[in-house]
Amino acid sequence: MKSRVILSLLTGLLVTGCHSPGSSESAQQVPAASTALAAEVTFDWFKYATPNNRPVAPPGEFANPILPGFYPDPSITQKGDEYYLTTSSFGYTPGLPILRSKNLTDWELVGYALDREEQMEFSGARISRGIFAPTIRYHDGLFYIITTSVDNGGNFIITASDPAGTWSEPVWLPEVGGIDPDIFFDDDGRVYITHNEAPPGEPLYNGHRAIWMWEYDPASQKVLPDSRKLLVNGGVDISKEPIWIEAPHIYKVNGWYYLSCAEGGTGPQHSQVVFRTRSLDEPFIPYENNPILTQRDLSWPRPNPVDTAGHADLIQTDAGEWWAVFLGTRPYDNYLYNTGRDTFLLPVEWRNEWPHILPAKTPIPPTTKRPAGTSVQQGTDFYDWSDDFDGNTLSVRWQTPRDFDRHWVSVENGVMTMSPLENALHSKEMVSYVGSHQAAASFAASTEVTIAAGSTASAGLAAFQSATYHYFLGLQDEQGYYQAFVEQVVDGNVKTVAKQTLTTRVGEPVTLKIHGEGAQIEFAVQQQGEWQAIGGAQDATWLSTQKAGGFVGTTIGPHARK
């Protein structure tokens, strides 16, 4: 009978394992191997827990972020009583996560819009390239996502009648350059695409960008020739040399067209700004009280800090309220974060026909009053969950760097089996690794792994920021017994920082865990019911965006290699 013993990750006590509430996940659209693999490496279960950082909201309120751990650049739309949201996914497959909610605060991960290699190809790409900043919209019975595949084709549109189902092949837009495209359906039947691109002429300074607009013909699936128009050059006030105007969205409210954009770059200077016009044939005028959202005007230290807020999308509920989803980060040690950029939710207040998300010098609160008429509902639990590998497909939780091909992994009879590839995680080729998003600075992840006797494979758990920055707690054969080791990769330099021979023979199961607490990360194995550290605490700041660079957060999960 399959073992159901799961680790109590902070105390070291053993408890009977079971699915946490809400842990039953939809089957992922990207299949694992269709036939059973030879059991060279098997994983019996996986558990992820957030012991110290899980937010709690009082009755009548909800906690931010609503999507913790590497769900950046959110965009939202509505059909009937359901909201749908997607975010950037960069070089991970499947890509463009689709999340569904009926109350704006509790979201279920229901699938991915990019779920097959016929749609997209990322092989060999850096993990922070790929899919940037999508916009999702529902119009006339069809869902649209417009986004950018950086370094691999540029801007494109995909569509679906059911966002939780199969999405179309991409319709490429070769005339539309830059990144962060938006699609806007006007009430006169005309359709427009806005996007970030280089300014007219030579840039005047580093970070000088512009917002452009095209008219789009859905029938021919092409932009109209000669319809390109400059909307914003530089930002709110070009004389102040604003940087990285991007992420445009157009809305029409009470006869006004509003253009909302991110400005300042997706870092500590990030903000949200807004412009408006009565006609798309006339200039957009910036709001005199911009920005309408930022955290750059706050000092350090401060309690429950949120930073880098911006890149917002707005939605109106059936109750008449307006809300904004936007990205932000939860730093530790004032400015570091390993979790990437999260999705937050705040109400929008209209004053003098201008939208306001947050007053100046106001911290984003940990909890906020719920949207009118809503209550807590069941959604995907991002903080505490387990996978017993039931069924015959990978959970929707798991993603892989770059490649849609999963011939090396299968799920059957409560076991995940890997046929290890030769490539290590520091390779940019196909790797046998599945990861799920680190949701908080404090976390613990564990799994039970077995390597078949006689195998030359290494297998275990990885904390993966990129090919050039990650940790791997692995097992390998050392004269018939397991040897546990910790591999650190920093700036592409591979180093074994700890190793120890165990008393468990190869061919028997071993439980591994990774425990992170902000700037520190620890690795351990279980021997005779006791936890045994493999080396000392390591530097987890190497997994932070500030040190590793890029736009993603850390993922954690099983890895095997030859």
Side-chain angles (χ1 to χ4, degrees), residues 24-54:
S24 177
E25 304 296 340
S26 303
Q28 186 165 298
Q29 296 170 349
V30 176
S34 57
T35 57
L37 300 173
E40 187 168 359
V41 175
T42 57
F43 295 88
D44 198 57
W45 49 261
F46 174 89
K47 183 174 177 62
Y48 179 91
T50 302
N52 296 327
N53 289 145
R54 186 185 184 102

Side-chain angles (χ1 to χ4, degrees), residues 72-275:
D73 311 324
S75 182
I76 189 170
T77 194
Q78 181 181 12
K79 178 188 177 183
D81 64 349
E82 292 184 323
Y83 302 95
Y84 291 89
L85 185 150
T86 189
T87 70
S88 297
S89 52
F90 300 99
Y92 276 96
T93 64
L96 290 173
I98 302 297
L99 298 108
R100 180 175 59 203
S101 175
K102 289 191 175 184
N103 64 3
L104 288 178
T105 62
D106 302 300
W107 293 86
E108 180 187 5
L109 179 60
V110 296
Y112 295 86
L114 296 178
D115 63 0
R116 58 194 184 276
E117 57 190 4
E118 291 81 7
Q119 291 174 299
M120 199 61 53
E121 175 63 48
F122 301 128
S123 294
R126 288 182 290 158
I127 200 66
S128 283
R129 307 309 280 174
I131 300 300
F132 279 32
T135 296
I136 186 170
R137 295 291 183 259
Y138 176 72
H139 176 73
D140 197 21
L142 203 59
F143 287 86
Y144 293 76
I145 292 178
I146 185 170
T147 187
T148 314
S149 180
V150 175
D151 296 340
N152 186 38
N155 291 302
F156 65 93
I157 294 173
I158 53 177
T159 59
S161 56
D162 176 8
T166 301
W167 287 74
S168 71
E169 305 297 309
V171 173
W172 295 98
L173 304 167
E175 299 87 356
V176 181
I179 60 172
D180 296 8
D182 172 75
I183 189 166
F184 168 66
F185 297 90
D186 205 347
D187 50 20
D188 63 0
R190 299 170 74 179
V191 184
Y192 299 91
I193 290 171
T194 54
H195 61 106
N196 152 296
E197 200 176 0
E202 291 296 319
L204 301 179
Y205 51 88
N206 185 35
H208 179 197
R209 303 293 284 178
I211 302 298
W212 298 84
M213 183 174 73
W214 296 79
E215 188 169 353
Y216 176 71
D217 177 17
S220 66
Q221 299 182 323
K222 297 180 183 297
V223 293
L224 300 186
D226 303 321
S227 66
R228 186 175 187 245
K229 178 182 178 180
L230 178 67
L231 299 187
V232 177
N233 186 6
V236 169
D237 183 352
I238 196 170
S239 69
K240 296 180 180 179
E241 298 189 352
I243 60 172
W244 307 121
I245 189 76
E246 57 193 6
H249 293 302
I250 291 181
Y251 316 91
K252 191 173 186 180
V253 182
N254 296 331
W256 287 100
Y257 294 91
Y258 293 88
L259 172 65
S260 184
C261 301
E263 188 183 271
T266 187
Q269 296 302 305
H270 208 200
S271 69
Q272 194 71 19
V273 296
V274 64
F275 310 75

